[in-house]
Amino acid sequence: YMLIIWFYTYIIPQTMKGPFFNMSDEIKACQENWYYNFLYVQTVFPDKPERAGCYGVSWYLADDMMFFWTTPWLLAVFLWNKLLGVLLPLLLCVASITAAWIVAWKKQLRVGTFDSSPYHDYYYNPPWMRAPPYLIGIILGMGYFEWQQRKLSVPKQYRFHVQSFMAVVIAVLFGSTVWGAQKANDGIPSSMKYSDNNAYIALSKPAWSVGVGMMLLLCFEGLGGPVGWLLSRPLFSYISKLTFLMYLLHPMVLALMFFNKLTPIHYSAVNFSFNFIAAVSATMAIAFLGHLFVELPLAALQTLLMSRLFGHVMGGASKKAATSTKGRFMSAERKGEYMQIGVDNGEAEQGK
């Protein structure tokens, strides 16, 4: 992560030859505030947006890391008292949604990409605003854990009805969150009423996450239909190894593509389709090389270091665990015992 920021700050600008090159603000932010990125806290200063100005997509890493730090405490409460363990993240989720609604109203935030408002500073980046999807995932994970512990299942006579009902709810949630604001945001500035805009800001991402959670529950119970079949294809397990690096690398690829252009960009569906295909292909290729020559060697070194440091603690269990890891992971994957919903539809909404 930090290596990519260094490369983006000092190497990529040296390759820019086009007349549209302009990264001065971002380069300055990285040079002066890189340590906030290193500590994963750059998104907790909404009144000082320059601290989050270094490598914009890193907001997600900072928020996700902070959510990760809080998860053990939520799980500890759940193990101590299951009812309280579910109520706590639920209350935190409601508090976050309420805060987002109030901030959107007070700061007059606008969800439209080209509307002038501090939307990113006060809603899009801060972790206390973006927590609901993660908390919803934790709640659903806890619920499904209890479902499995009690060996429950959907009765056969109700399976079709449950599947149909949840499919309709999922379709409504997905449709309303992805296209609900599209018509109002076609113009510049957008024509959406402030009341509707505030509700959309506060509710769209939690609603999307509930839809994803319901879809996963159907898949875990064998009711996913064609969606479950598609998501179970082995291809996704290979692609998933590249997604982290692709997310981190794609700003550099886009910078190389567009800041080196010698002529203005004119929109057409064909032109942007080819640009998209080129960007995705180049990003995936670079991510594959990074995974092969950076991530895998470092993971091997980490495994070796951990075995050296803690080998006396793990003892003979380490070998047994290593040989059975793949089988246990696949079993858990099939049964749906691992669940994480950190889903964010903001990138799609904003056209990032």
Side-chain angles (χ1 to χ4, degrees), residues 108-304:
Q108 295 190 336
L109 305 183
R110 301 294 290 176
V111 74
T113 302
F114 299 103
D115 288 346
S116 179
S117 77
Y119 172 75
H120 280 75
D121 298 333
Y122 288 95
Y123 175 77
Y124 199 84
N125 292 341
W128 51 87
M129 296 296 186
R130 305 306 298 272
Y134 201 93
L135 294 170
I136 290 169
I138 290 176
I139 294 169
L140 290 175
M142 292 173 176
Y144 193 69
F145 172 79
E146 281 298 302
W147 176 274
Q148 285 196 313
Q149 288 293 103
R150 300 182 184 185
K151 299 181 179 180
L152 301 176
S153 62
V154 180
K156 289 185 178 181
Q157 64 269 29
Y158 299 120
R159 290 172 72 88
F160 175 76
H161 299 87
V162 170
Q163 184 184 40
S164 301
F165 172 76
M166 292 184 68
V168 171
V169 174
I170 292 167
V172 171
L173 291 174
F174 284 177
S176 60
T177 52
V178 174
W179 291 290
Q182 181 179 356
K183 184 176 181 180
N185 287 321
D186 280 345
I188 303 175
S190 61
S191 59
M192 183 181 288
K193 297 179 182 178
Y194 268 99
S195 57
D196 297 338
N197 174 85
N198 299 341
Y200 186 84
I201 289 176
L203 298 174
S204 60
K205 293 174 178 61
W208 171 269
S209 303
V210 170
V212 172
M214 294 175 66
M215 182 183 70
L216 291 177
L217 291 176
L218 286 177
C219 293
F220 292 164
E221 289 298 300
L223 300 174
V227 175
W229 177 87
L230 177 65
L231 296 179
S232 300
R233 296 306 90 198
L235 174 65
F236 289 104
S237 66
Y238 299 117
I239 296 177
S240 67
K241 300 179 186 300
L242 305 179
T243 52
F244 177 69
L245 272 178
M246 288 184 67
Y247 181 80
L248 280 180
L249 289 169
H250 82 271
M252 284 198 291
V253 174
L254 294 177
L256 286 169
M257 285 180 59
F258 291 103
F259 286 149
N260 278 305
K261 285 186 176 294
L262 301 178
T263 57
I265 301 171
H266 299 283
Y267 175 81
S268 74
V270 173
N271 183 32
F272 267 64
S273 296
F274 277 104
N275 283 334
F276 173 78
I277 294 171
V280 171
S281 301
T283 304
M284 184 174 292
I286 299 173
F288 175 75
L289 295 176
H291 176 70
L292 200 62
F293 294 108
V294 179
E295 284 189 329
L296 288 181
L298 289 178
L301 288 174
Q302 182 185 23
T303 302
L304 181 62

Side-chain angles (χ1 to χ4, degrees), residues 307 310-311 313-326 328:
S307 64
F310 303 106
V313 177
M314 295 185 292
S318 59
K319 183 177 180 181
K320 182 179 178 181
T323 56
S324 61
T325 296
K326 181 178 180 180
R328 287 189 289 108

